[in-house]
């Protein structure tokens, strides 16, 4: 799995613009949380989607908490960690957190 790093507001805006061409996912991860690590590993183990299907973005929310807050605010989604958001045509059409994060559920919304 090839994560794109989300580390600035300009990268966030570019990713949202890309969502008009291909769906984008944002994975919000706490690098100090074992639950977040388990969710990330489980998601990565089942992930077999190409970048033509979806573009994956990784957000280290401890290092970039303002971006995490901006995602929550812009899309009207309460902050959680770990959390996965699917954005298509500039709108969050699916979001899930903790043990509910899985590839099979994501595919249903693509």
């Amino acid at each position: 799995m090839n994560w794109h790093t989300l580390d600035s507001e300009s990268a966030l805006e570019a990713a949202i613009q890309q969502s008009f061409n291909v769906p984008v996912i944002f994975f919000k991860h706490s690098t100090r949380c074992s639950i977040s690590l388990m969710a990330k590993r489980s998601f990565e183990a089942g992930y077999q989607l190409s970048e033509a299907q979806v573009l994956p973005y990784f957000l280290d929310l401890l290092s970039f908490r303002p971006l995490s807050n901006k995602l929550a605010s812009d899309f009207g989604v309460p902050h959680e960690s770990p959390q996965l958001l699917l954005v298509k045509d500039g709108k969050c059409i699916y979001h899930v957190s903790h043990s509910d994060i899985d590839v099979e559920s994501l595919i249903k919304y693509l």
Side-chain angles (χ1 to χ4, degrees):
M1 174 164 201
N2 184 31
W3 290 108
H4 299 273
T5 303
L6 189 61
D7 58 4
S8 68
E9 280 195 39
S10 61
L12 174 59
E13 293 305 318
I16 292 169
Q17 286 305 308
Q18 287 175 311
S19 79
F20 288 91
N21 298 318
V22 62
V24 170
I25 56 171
F26 297 109
F27 188 93
K28 294 168 54 174
H29 173 63
S30 171
T31 55
R32 293 187 193 148
C33 174
S34 61
I35 293 170
S36 190
L37 180 60
M38 286 189 305
K40 180 178 175 281
R41 284 183 179 164
S42 175
F43 183 76
E44 290 173 332
Y47 194 88
Q48 296 181 353
L49 301 168
S50 72
E51 289 200 359
Q53 294 170 288
V54 64
L55 292 173
Y57 281 85
F58 176 85
L59 173 60
D60 174 349
L61 64 89
L62 296 179
S63 296
F64 301 102
R65 184 58 189 253
L67 282 178
S68 177
N69 293 341
K70 183 162 177 51
L71 276 170
S73 174
D74 287 358
F75 294 116
V77 175
H79 165 77
E80 295 193 61
S81 171
Q83 186 174 41
L84 181 80
L85 290 83
L86 172 62
V87 175
K88 189 172 182 180
D89 297 326
K91 295 180 173 52
C92 182
I93 61 168
Y94 172 72
H95 62 92
V96 65
S97 65
H98 295 86
S99 62
D100 292 331
I101 297 171
D102 71 270
V103 177
E104 288 179 21
S105 297
L106 171 67
I107 289 171
K108 293 176 186 176
Y109 290 88
L110 294 176

